[in-house]
Amino acid sequence: MVFLKKLKMELAWAARGFAAAGAEPRLEVLLGLVRAGPQGLTVGEIQERLNMPASTLAHHLRFLKSASLIEQEKYGRTVINRARFDYIEDLAQFLLKECCTESASLYKKTA
């Protein structure tokens, strides 16, 4: 029972992260922040690179932040946006840990 509860929690966590990155404009924003590295980008820099209206970008940044895919740090009137590499890596590992698990068990049954 505890295992199933933990699995459901992991699925909900992963679904939230993948859903946030699942829209093309949000994925563009996230990829831009990943490319920028740990120093991140200001809202203006993202807007300039993606040619995205400020209100639209603000919506996508809120969505990504609420899913923990990015973090924001305020310096005076400037907001620096950074990809949460730890969280992105955890999402990737969530998928990759399941890689070939069924094919391995099928192979053992026939061997």
Side-chain angles (χ1 to χ4, degrees):
M1 186 71 169
V2 172
F3 172 76
L4 288 176
K5 186 174 181 180
K6 183 179 178 197
L7 179 61
K8 282 189 176 266
M9 287 173 51
E10 284 182 358
L11 286 172
W13 165 83
R16 192 170 44 256
F18 287 120
E24 189 174 323
R26 285 192 295 272
L27 186 55
E28 281 184 300
V29 172
L30 184 59
L31 284 173
L33 293 173
V34 167
R35 289 182 187 116
Q39 71 272 10
L41 296 170
T42 66
V43 172
E45 290 170 328
I46 299 168
Q47 192 176 358
E48 187 178 300
R49 290 177 185 206
L50 299 179
N51 194 28
M52 188 178 287
S55 61
T56 303
L57 178 57
H59 164 76
H60 293 311
L61 289 171
R62 267 193 310 276
F63 208 92
L64 291 167
K65 184 180 178 195
S66 71
S68 299
L69 288 169
I70 69 167
E71 62 186 10
Q72 296 178 314
E73 191 171 352
K74 195 167 186 167
Y75 291 101
R77 298 177 71 191
T78 302
V79 177
I80 304 295
N81 300 274
R82 294 183 184 90
R84 291 266 324 270
F85 292 102
D86 57 337
Y87 188 85
I88 294 167
E89 287 175 357
D90 288 346
L91 280 175
Q93 285 304 313
F94 177 81
L95 287 179
L96 294 174
K97 74 179 179 184
E98 297 296 321
C99 179
C100 311
T101 55
E102 289 187 7
S103 64
S105 63
L106 289 174
Y107 177 76
K108 289 177 186 175
K109 289 180 184 177
T110 61

